[in-house]
Amino acid sequence: AGREVMRDVGCMACHRVPGSSGPDAFVGPPLDAWSRRSFIAGTLPNNETNLERWILDPQAIRPGTAMPTIELTQSQIDDIVAFLFSLD
């Protein structure tokens, strides 16, 4: 479900997402092996809570980042977080 949400809201315009077709975008980092990453945006320890914070309001964490704030429901955020942490 998370991959579908990411496709629907346009995440693939900036990120390469494993198992998804789309442009080879390199504005944001590729999201391969997300669960093995140490940090989110080079700032936050990589865990579910911090990823949710990042998705909700990236500017609050790293002002000036190219990552936009996207209107998402809590269910959509939960699906994205679960999907990304399934990427090993």
Side-chain angles (χ1 to χ4, degrees), residues 47 55 65 70 85:
N47 60 50
I55 292 169
T65 184
I70 300 170
F85 274 95

Side-chain angles (χ1 to χ4, degrees), residues 24-38:
D24 280 334
F26 294 102
V27 174
L31 301 178
D32 312 81
W34 183 266
S35 66
R36 291 188 273 153
R37 296 188 182 204
S38 298

Side-chain angles (χ1 to χ4, degrees), residues 6 8 13 29 70 84:
M6 293 177 74
D8 292 347
I70 300 170
L84 289 175

Side-chain angles (χ1 to χ4, degrees), residues 67-88:
M67 175 79 169
T69 300
I70 300 170
E71 294 292 323
L72 298 167
T73 66
Q74 186 61 52
S75 177
Q76 288 173 312
I77 293 169
D78 293 344
D79 287 345
I80 291 170
V81 169
F83 169 66
L84 289 175
F85 274 95
S86 77
L87 299 176
D88 186 33

Side-chain angles (χ1 to χ4, degrees), residues 34 37-51 53-54 85:
W34 183 266
R37 296 188 182 204
S38 298
F39 294 96
I40 299 166
T43 304
L44 296 174
N46 187 19
N47 60 50
E48 288 89 350
T49 300
N50 284 338
L51 180 55
R53 287 178 52 214
W54 173 252
F85 274 95

